[in-house]
Amino acid sequence: MSLPDVVETVAGLQARLDAVRATGASVGFVPTMGYLHEGHASLIDAAVAADDFTVVSIFVNPLQFAPDEDLAEYPRDVEADLARCGDHGADLVFHPSVSEVYPVGAEEPVVVGAVGGPLEGASRPSHFAGVATVVARLFRIMGCCRAYFGEKDFQQMAVVRRMAVELELPVEVVGCPIVREADGLALSSRNVYLEPGERRQAPVLYRALLAGAAAVGNGEADPTVVVEVMEDVMSEAPDLVVDYSALVEPDTFVMPGRITTGAEVRLLVAGRLGRARLVDNVGAVAP
Ligand code: PAF
């Protein structure tokens, strides 16, 4: 295993990228907040497979945490992160300070369109503006590249895609499948907050999504019935505080009046188990 090079400054990163691009190489980019797990590793794998030079950023972005959220305790382990990046073939890690990313202080936030309004946008009102602001800044620093995002944060991916188009940033956003534990729990850095009893209940989110997707697959055309199916399953977990369960059109995040034949929909759930806030989603196609 060889460790990737680490740069901490924008100038250092851009000098490396200029040299790489001068050879005609393509650049892949995996933005992260660190505490990397196999889900992040799958993004690095996708970048390494498709691009000639892969950059991983590790930056816990204060802007996307509300004052009552877990910024201070967000898990961090940079040494383990570098080892994982090296194991998966990343070429360079960008590990900047807050002042390097926001040199003029709190930046004017990027305005998030309608796709960021419901669900996560309603539960965490300032979150997507913080995500879009940092990702826009990172995309500008990176320049032309392919950027790899996990579908676990499906709405985040839609917000970022929209932002890149609206700001005309030369970045192609590539979505990658969710990586799960054997019992279905989607991998997340925040799973570390789960106490053993909560961890045993956590796969209920995925079971709820599978039940909802099965209802769609069996021809249920009323979205509210599908949502009830998911809520019934989630009620099996005594400690789960459900935040939302929803069925939406994947591009607009609007709930359709009816699910029409052949329509692709996205089922999403979020909830709190102890200190952990969990989100998950699956796609479904109506017969
Ligand atoms: O998904 C994440 O880890 C973060 O929201 C991101 C995209 C790295 C922006 O800080």
Side-chain angles (χ1 to χ4, degrees):
M1 184 262 299
S2 66
L3 290 176
D5 290 345
V6 181
V7 288
E8 296 183 346
T9 64
V10 172
L13 172 62
Q14 290 181 329
R16 285 294 299 271
L17 290 175
D18 286 349
V20 163
R21 289 197 178 99
T23 68
S26 69
V27 174
F29 176 45
V30 181
T32 81
M33 297 208 299
Y35 210 66
L36 305 182
H37 49 66
E38 282 304 304
H40 297 109
S42 75
L43 306 181
I44 300 173
D45 291 343
V48 168
D51 290 301
D52 302 314
F53 189 84
T54 296
V55 178
V56 178
S57 66
I58 298 177
F59 178 65
V60 182
N61 172 37
L63 248 56
Q64 68 190 76
F65 291 78
D68 61 342
E69 290 185 347
D70 57 341
L71 172 61
E73 61 192 353
Y74 194 81
R76 293 161 167 89
D77 188 345
V78 174
E79 265 182 40
D81 289 347
L82 295 182
R84 201 182 282 270
C85 287
D87 285 347
H88 287 267
D91 297 290
L92 189 68
V93 169
F94 179 46
H95 182 38
S97 63
V98 173
S99 60
E100 189 67 20
V101 174
Y102 300 119
V104 291
E107 195 151 303
E108 192 68 18
V110 168
V111 176
V112 174
V115 81
L119 308 181
E120 287 301 288
S123 292
R124 305 177 70 193
S126 58
H127 175 64
F128 281 141
V131 170
T133 302
V134 77
V135 176
R137 173 95 179 108
L138 291 169
F139 280 5
R140 285 197 177 101
I141 293 168
M142 287 295 301
C144 182
C145 64
R146 257 188 291 265
Y148 297 81
F149 284 79
E151 288 188 347
K152 184 179 79 66
D153 296 302
F154 193 77
Q155 195 177 6
Q156 163 174 282
M157 202 173 64
V159 165
V160 165
R161 242 187 210 130
R162 195 64 158 259
M163 174 277 290
V165 171
E166 271 170 20
L167 299 182
E168 297 180 42
L169 300 175
V171 177
E172 182 192 337
V173 174
V174 181
C176 299
I178 298 174
V179 179
R180 300 180 180 281
E181 303 279 7
D183 62 7
L185 175 64
L187 296 195
S188 163
S189 303
R190 287 187 168 103
N191 291 352
V192 72
Y193 297 150
L194 292 167
E195 301 293 343
E198 295 159 356
R199 173 65 189 82
R200 281 192 289 278
Q201 296 172 57
V204 78
L205 271 73
Y206 186 49
R207 286 206 305 277
L209 290 165
L210 291 181
V216 174
N218 289 333
E220 178 56 65
D222 184 345
T224 59
V225 172
V226 178
V227 168
E228 279 166 22
V229 167
M230 294 196 285
E231 281 172 355
D232 272 358
V233 176
M234 287 198 290
S235 69
E236 291 165 11
D239 298 321
L240 178 68
V241 180
V242 176
D243 194 347
Y244 59 75
S245 47
L247 181 154
V248 298
E249 290 165 351
D251 297 331
T252 60
F253 277 78
V254 170
M255 180 164 108
R258 303 282 294 168
I259 307 169
T260 53
T261 304
E264 263 184 53
V265 294
R266 203 81 193 177
L267 282 58
L268 303 100
V269 291
R272 220 167 252 292
L273 264 173
R275 287 165 59 226
R277 184 167 183 282
L278 305 175
V279 297
D280 201 353
N281 67 87
V282 298
V285 182

